[in-house]
Amino acid sequence: MPEVTVTRRLTFNAAHRVHNPALSEAENDALFGKCNNPNWHGHNYVLEVSVTGEVSEKTGYVMDLGALKRLVNEQVVDRMDHRNLNVEVDFMRGIIPTTENIVVACWRVLEPAIRPARLTRLRLWETENNHVEYEGH
Ligand code: NI
């Protein structure tokens, strides 16, 4: 059977502060600039979730994208949407909320939850110009 990758796009918005508490204020400012604003700032994030598998003879699907949407909402999006990533999201606790770290944290929650389907890529957009990808390596 042919293997196909299917992708669902979801959006959320969240506040954060990119800050490393182990560094001085001056170092944080030099490294993170306005992203280090102590009074937070927000982004409209876009998360693309890709699942790879064989096309089912019965359904013609790799995975029902409606079911994938519900699962991703429940596992990560609803837990981050309209939240502060530094203080309110349990799976982000103690993690500097850069886009890189958010995508890895989302993977750790989603990958086991999506099984037996196979999560093969997460792409997280923080702005129209910046995005990161993670394939679980
Ligand atoms: Ni930011």
Side-chain angles (χ1 to χ4, degrees), residues 14-18 34-36 41-43 45 97-99 126-127:
H16 75 165
R17 178 191 190 196
V18 182
K34 62 184 183 180
C35 296
N36 188 241
H41 66 277
H43 295 283
Y45 289 96
T98 57
T99 322
E126 188 177 71
T127 70

Side-chain angles (χ1 to χ4, degrees), residues 53-66:
E54 291 186 349
V55 178
S56 159
E57 233 167 280
K58 179 181 166 191
T59 63
Y61 290 154
V62 171
M63 182 178 183
D64 178 342
L65 286 180

